[in-house]
Amino acid sequence: MDIIISNSSGEPIYEQISAQIKGMILNGALKEGDALPSMRVLAQQLRISVITTKRAYEELERDGFIESYTGKGSFVKAQNTELLREENLRRIEELLSQACKKAKSCGIGLDELKEILEIISGGE
């Protein structure tokens, strides 16, 4: 599992881990029933505290992305397609919000931004 931790990011490490695993689940890299590395193994691989990986897994479980079983490990949970859609929409809105702020700071108007979006999306 390729998880990249940035110490220069303002985001806590457990949130970075959680967000990257969510991303892998949402884009299909991790599928229902796939086993996640144990908290200890992941902590060793990333050279971080087990407490940090535990917190990331707890957040993933709370958000409905994984299931954990004592003595067996943590596994990707069957996903509700509506939940996945909402999560994807939330992520898209967040990214578009960032793009709009950047466009506004560069003096790019809504019409030009729409044109850029149409070009990027292939006019679909």
Side-chain angles (χ1 to χ4, degrees), residues 54-71:
K54 182 178 189 296
R55 190 164 178 191
Y57 279 28
E58 286 172 346
E59 184 173 295
L60 287 164
E61 191 163 13
R62 185 192 72 232
D63 292 345
F65 284 90
I66 67 170
E67 298 175 297
S68 298
Y69 302 98
T70 305

Side-chain angles (χ1 to χ4, degrees), residues 10-105:
E11 186 177 30
I13 293 174
Y14 78 92
E15 286 181 4
Q16 292 179 47
I17 295 167
S18 176
Q20 289 180 53
I21 292 174
K22 280 181 186 179
M24 289 180 219
I25 293 169
L26 291 171
N27 72 23
L30 289 174
K31 303 200 182 320
E32 176 185 346
D34 284 353
L36 298 179
S38 74
M39 291 177 211
R40 289 185 197 284
V41 168
L42 186 59
Q44 288 173 344
Q45 289 174 347
L46 298 176
R47 296 187 176 138
I48 59 172
S49 166
V50 175
I51 294 168
T52 303
T53 56
K54 182 178 189 296
R55 190 164 178 191
Y57 279 28
E58 286 172 346
E59 184 173 295
L60 287 164
E61 191 163 13
R62 185 192 72 232
D63 292 345
F65 284 90
I66 67 170
E67 298 175 297
S68 298
Y69 302 98
T70 305
K72 292 184 180 181
S74 298
F75 301 87
V76 176
K77 189 175 181 179
Q79 298 299 305
N80 176 329
T81 55
E82 190 59 33
L83 177 67
L84 284 176
R85 178 172 164 65
E86 286 299 317
E87 181 68 19
N88 279 322
L89 282 173
R90 186 193 62 75
R91 290 175 65 202
I92 291 166
E93 287 170 358
E94 185 178 304
L95 292 169
L96 286 173
S97 176
Q98 291 173 13
C100 287
K101 287 177 186 173
K102 183 67 173 177
K104 188 179 277 187
S105 72

